[in-house]
Amino acid sequence: KPDPRLFERMAQLLGVTPDGCLFVGDGAYRELQGAEAVGMTAILIRVPHDAWEHEGTIGWPGPRIAALSDVLGLV
C-alpha cells in the first residue's frame, strides 16, 4: 500500500475489474488513494469517537463509514 499494483493484483485474483471493487480501510499509508488510483471506490472506516487522523485521511473527500455493516448502504 499505496502501490496501485497491489490493488490491481487483488482485483485480478478475485476475477473482477478494479472499477467493480469497494476498498474499505482506515486510510493508513495512503491506501485509500492507492485504491482510487486504479478505479476502486475507496471508503474510509472510522469509529465516530476516533479523532486521530492518518496522513492519508486528512481532508478525505470520499465516503466515510463507522462500521462495516454501513457498507451495505453504499452499494
Side-chain angles (χ1 to χ4, degrees):
K1 297 184 284 188
D3 190 328
R5 294 175 295 183
L6 170 76
F7 298 97
E8 290 170 339
R9 180 69 175 137
M10 292 303 106
Q12 180 184 40
L13 290 172
L14 291 169
V16 297
T17 59
D19 64 344
C21 295
L22 294 177
F23 176 83
V24 179
D26 65 3
Y29 308 104
R30 300 185 56 78
E31 65 186 0
L32 300 169
Q33 290 81 357
E36 279 194 325
V38 298
M40 292 182 177
T41 300
I43 302 167
L44 173 62
I45 186 166
R46 176 69 51 80
V47 293
H49 63 275
D50 185 2
W52 188 78
E53 293 278 342
H54 291 288
E55 174 189 340
T57 63
I58 296 170
W60 174 248
R64 291 177 177 247
I65 59 172
L68 281 177
S69 58
D70 296 338
V71 169
L72 296 176
L74 299 174
V75 293

